[in-house]
Amino acid sequence: VCSMGNSTSRLYSALAKTLSSSAVSQHQDCLEQPDSAQLDPIDPKDLLEECQIVLQKRPPRFQRDFVDLKKNAASNHRPIRVMQWNILAQALGEGKDNFVQCPMEALKWEERKCLILEEILAYKPDILCLQEVDHYFDTFEPLLSRLGYQCTFFPKPWSPCLDVEQNNGPDGCALFFLKDRFELINSANIRLTAMKLKTNQVAIAQTLKCNETGRLFCIAVTHLKARTGWERFRSAQGCDLLQNLKSITQGAKIPLIICGDFNAEPTEEVYREFSNSSLNLNSAYKLLSPDGQSEPPYTTWKIRPSGECRHTLDYIWYSQHALNVNSALGLLTEEQIGPNRLPSFNYPSDHLSLVCDFSFNQDPDRLL
């Protein structure tokens, strides 16, 4: 077992079966996935407390409140909480992204991973969809599996993390769901295509059965191509993903939730493709606006050498004929984010987490 650096002994006890990032970088060739099924379960309250001990010199977590969006829609089952988050790959944060107002000390993995875990533990998602995961095998899989999640990871074929010295392997998408709430029926790892060419972007789509209701639904996570000038490329990737999901959901017979960093503002073609799809999708965070028709003003906010970047790129899409959005987590205010923007000592990523509570429509065929 490798030392966890300057972690406290209590955190070390919770993470005893995980590898340190330095160990991984030195032994890439012999890295094996830990057999987490043999590890003892972790009480989430204990892990949260241990993370807070490591973070005691940092400012406290920002307060974010859920906004009730129910429209007198009674539900006969416990809501399904879904969390979407681009957590910022460690190799990119330290080696490529050039957050000019963020001190390197704030990006230190031994503490930043605790900020990420603290955010996840605070909102207790039933389903967790992450992008830019480059510490899956040494952190998220061993820990979240011990918290009761079933875990799936699909790395990018040519991850930019591999260009960074002392990287921790490729980044990719990861999907986690609580095994006591859902049963896995089908799982597909999708390498997205554009103009009939395979691309570096991926998606995971899993059909789950809700143990409480017996209802099936599909949950998907993706991360589309970044940067200005690639709008048509993203549009083609979006079309490919939609085609795959139409097949998996049997043309929307199975309700669908899609989480992702689309790297696209609502003005882009790929956004319109999802809005106008035959899958009858709506974007959950539009419901926070006064008219229910406008996306939030930002889901990412950072400062790079080229200037300030404030964009809406992250979404939770859902089958509006079959699912209701009971509530959504409010975003951080500009005052909370602060003048140096994200990431920071307060917040571990340049993207905000999105969290929604869903319930099944009692008459799912009514709006088809």
Side-chain angles (χ1 to χ4, degrees), residues 69-71 284 287 318 323-328 356-359:
L69 299 170
K70 290 195 295 289
K71 298 179 180 177
L287 302 180
Y318 70 101
L323 296 166
N324 299 309
V325 184
N326 296 359
S327 62
C356 290
D357 290 335
F358 290 96
S359 61

Side-chain angles (χ1 to χ4, degrees), residues 36-323:
S36 302
Q38 297 180 5
L39 303 182
D40 293 333
I42 301 173
D43 186 322
K45 292 181 180 178
D46 291 342
L47 183 59
L48 180 58
E49 185 178 328
E50 291 166 358
C51 287
Q52 290 169 343
I53 291 171
V54 173
L55 299 170
Q56 57 190 332
K57 293 183 180 179
R58 292 203 180 207
R61 283 185 69 256
F62 293 121
Q63 177 63 39
R64 297 171 66 185
D65 297 319
F66 280 90
V67 178
D68 189 352
L69 299 170
K70 290 195 295 289
K71 298 179 180 177
N72 301 317
S75 173
N76 60 359
H77 68 90
R78 198 156 46 114
I80 297 170
R81 177 162 291 182
V82 177
M83 184 173 187
Q84 147 62 28
W85 199 13
N86 178 333
I87 61 172
L88 174 61
Q90 184 64 20
L92 300 184
E94 287 186 310
K96 280 203 164 195
D97 277 345
N98 296 318
F99 302 116
V100 293
Q101 296 294 98
C102 178
M104 287 300 293
E105 186 73 10
L107 297 172
K108 196 165 90 175
W109 178 243
E110 295 303 322
E111 294 181 4
R112 197 172 78 85
K113 70 180 175 186
C114 290
L115 276 179
I116 295 170
L117 290 167
E118 184 184 44
E119 181 94 344
I120 295 168
L121 291 164
Y123 299 122
K124 304 174 185 174
D126 300 302
I127 300 171
L128 173 63
C129 296
L130 302 180
Q131 299 88 38
E132 290 200 22
V133 179
D134 63 347
H135 276 270
Y136 176 80
F137 292 111
D138 68 334
T139 300
F140 294 104
E141 193 276 341
L143 283 176
L144 291 176
S145 65
R146 294 174 69 187
L147 292 170
Y149 289 91
Q150 183 155 328
C151 313
T152 304
F153 176 63
F154 192 24
K156 295 174 184 172
W158 314 297
S159 168
C161 292
L162 299 178
D163 296 333
V164 179
E165 286 189 27
Q166 297 184 325
N167 65 77
N168 199 63
D171 76 301
C173 292
L175 198 161
F176 309 84
F177 66 84
L178 287 176
K179 292 183 287 185
D180 66 351
R181 289 215 66 187
F182 312 106
E183 176 188 348
L184 179 63
I185 303 301
N186 182 60
S187 185
N189 288 352
I190 303 166
R191 184 172 172 186
L192 298 176
T193 64
M195 299 85 164
K196 297 184 179 180
L197 298 175
K198 291 183 178 180
T199 73
N200 193 35
Q201 281 63 48
V202 300
I204 304 169
Q206 297 188 332
T207 303
L208 306 180
K209 183 173 80 171
C210 175
N211 292 335
E212 185 179 345
T213 65
R215 297 276 292 272
L216 295 180
F217 68 100
C218 177
I219 178 75
V221 55
T222 195
H223 188 184
L224 301 188
K225 173 66 181 171
R227 296 193 177 87
T228 303
W230 292 85
E231 291 80 6
R232 288 184 61 197
F233 196 84
R234 281 190 288 273
S235 174
Q237 289 182 326
C239 285
D240 182 51
L241 179 57
L242 286 169
Q243 282 301 119
N244 276 279
L245 293 174
K246 284 175 187 175
S247 174
I248 290 169
T249 63
Q250 301 168 33
K253 288 183 180 178
I254 299 173
L256 175 64
I257 300 171
I258 309 164
C259 294
D261 174 357
F262 280 62
N263 276 307
E265 292 272 11
T267 53
E268 274 199 34
E269 180 63 29
V270 67
Y271 183 94
R272 291 191 290 275
E273 288 165 357
F274 274 71
S275 294
N276 300 326
S277 165
S278 62
L279 293 172
N280 196 22
L281 300 171
N282 193 22
S283 175
Y285 264 71
K286 282 167 54 176
L287 302 180
L288 288 180
S289 65
D291 60 359
Q293 299 299 314
S294 304
E295 292 289 354
Y298 51 83
T299 62
T300 180
W301 202 341
K302 52 209 158 199
I303 301 175
R304 285 184 166 141
S306 57
E308 195 154 349
C309 306
R310 178 180 179 265
H311 300 291
T312 299
L313 306 177
D314 307 271
Y315 307 95
I316 300 179
W317 297 91
Y318 70 101
S319 301
Q320 57 187 332
H321 63 279
L323 296 166

